[in-house]
Amino acid sequence: MDHNNTTSTLMRKTLMALTGLFLCFFLVIHLLGNLQLLLPTDQARESFNSYSQLLSGNIFIKIISYVLYASIIIHSLDALIITLKNKKTSGKYVYDQRGASSKWYSRSMGILGTIILIFLVFHFKDFWYQYKFGSLPVDGAGHKDLYTIVVGVYGDLWYVLFYVVCMFALGFHLLHGFFSAARSLGVYHPKYVAWIRVFGAWYSYVITIGFAVIPVYIYLTQHVLWN
């Protein structure tokens, strides 16, 4: 690999790290908003719909959303390009050049990322597209009743199972991706490595469990216990 290709790969890994960390930050905000779905039904509907209305009507949030869309696209394309280059170089996908000594999820970032990307297509279709372009009912406060849509979607057991599986794929992706991003950005001093690993692990666990619990809770409380 010549100097130009090496520089290009490093730049792509740096850009992928930056977009990845932004997506990590977004996941925290998104989870905090979605945790309102765990409130009692009437309170959850009012709170979640108000939250959704705030996000759709705030110019600052709209700018952040465009950055989010760009980050997802750039992160995915960079990952694809790096994967194809690694395959061309080594004959197989190698994410971090550590071979069999690395964790299985470190060597499966492409597969995990693909699962997450498929999930995002369904997620955007069922919620974002419906909110932006669908004919949603209106709640008592005059807000689009996205809560009712969410409860309806999570009434399908197969969708709930699909969601949970995808959240675990996300968790394993984050488990390696967080540390890899820190390393790509040069935060690899022995003094901080252990702390970064622990923080990244706990972050991954919280994000995975937090998101996975929501559809399961809604399915059990809104559909199973009611029937």
Side-chain angles (χ1 to χ4, degrees), residues 12 38 44 58 67 72 94 114 128-129 149 174 178 182 193 213 215:
R12 289 192 179 282
L38 302 180
N58 187 301
V67 176
I72 293 174
V94 181
T114 300
W128 178 85
Y129 183 84
I149 300 299
L174 293 172
F178 190 91
V193 169
V213 161

Side-chain angles (χ1 to χ4, degrees), residues 1-16 78 81-82 85:
M1 183 179 291
D2 60 31
H3 176 72
N4 289 335
N5 285 335
T6 301
T7 301
S8 175
T9 299
L10 290 175
M11 289 179 62
R12 289 192 179 282
K13 286 189 174 183
T14 298
L15 185 57
M16 189 162 67
D78 273 352
I81 292 172
I82 291 172
K85 283 188 175 181

Side-chain angles (χ1 to χ4, degrees), residues 99-121:
S101 63
S102 60
K103 300 290 186 181
W104 70 267
Y105 50 80
S106 299
R107 304 190 304 272
S108 306
M109 290 293 280
I111 296 174
L112 295 171
T114 300
I115 294 173
I116 295 167
L117 198 58
I118 292 172
F119 166 78
L120 285 176
V121 172

Side-chain angles (χ1 to χ4, degrees), residues 217-227:
Y217 173 83
I218 291 177
Y219 177 77
L220 293 177
T221 58
Q222 301 291 331
H223 297 280
V224 174
L225 296 182
W226 277 14
N227 294 327

Side-chain angles (χ1 to χ4, degrees), residues 8-193:
S8 175
T9 299
L10 290 175
M11 289 179 62
R12 289 192 179 282
K13 286 189 174 183
T14 298
L15 185 57
M16 189 162 67
L18 291 172
T19 54
L21 290 176
F22 174 79
L23 293 172
C24 285
F25 169 75
F26 171 79
L27 285 173
V28 174
I29 304 302
H30 192 45
L31 176 59
L32 291 175
N34 283 7
L35 287 177
Q36 296 173 94
L37 293 166
L38 302 180
L39 296 170
T41 302
D42 291 339
Q43 186 178 353
R45 175 179 285 105
E46 179 181 353
S47 181
F48 185 71
N49 288 343
S50 296
Y51 163 74
S52 301
Q53 179 68 29
L54 174 65
L55 294 184
S56 66
N58 187 301
I59 184 62
F60 175 75
I61 299 299
K62 285 186 177 181
I63 293 174
I64 294 296
S65 68
Y66 292 135
V67 176
L68 169 66
Y69 306 148
S71 295
I72 293 174
I73 294 172
I74 293 171
H75 192 78
S76 301
L77 289 177
D78 273 352
L80 177 61
I81 292 172
I82 291 172
T83 300
L84 293 176
K85 283 188 175 181
N86 284 338
K87 281 186 174 181
K88 184 177 180 180
T89 300
S90 62
K92 63 178 181 178
Y93 173 70
V94 181
Y95 184 79
D96 56 7
Q97 305 298 328
R98 289 179 296 170
S101 63
S102 60
K103 300 290 186 181
W104 70 267
Y105 50 80
S106 299
R107 304 190 304 272
S108 306
M109 290 293 280
I111 296 174
L112 295 171
T114 300
I115 294 173
I116 295 167
L117 198 58
I118 292 172
F119 166 78
L120 285 176
V121 172
F122 283 93
H123 197 64
F124 273 90
K125 176 184 72 70
D126 291 330
F127 302 115
W128 178 85
Y129 183 84
Q130 288 297 323
Y131 191 86
K132 292 289 186 180
F133 307 107
S135 299
L136 271 66
V138 178
D139 65 13
H143 299 145
K144 290 183 177 181
D145 194 0
L146 184 60
Y147 176 81
T148 296
I149 300 299
V150 171
V151 170
V153 169
Y154 293 156
D156 186 341
L157 178 59
W158 288 109
Y159 191 97
V160 172
L161 294 176
F162 168 70
Y163 191 106
V164 172
V165 169
C166 290
M167 289 306 99
F168 275 92
L170 173 63
F172 283 117
H173 193 81
L174 293 172
L175 200 57
H176 175 74
F178 190 91
F179 180 76
S180 180
R183 186 175 55 190
S184 295
L185 295 176
V187 187
Y188 199 67
H189 193 283
K191 183 178 180 181
Y192 307 112
V193 169

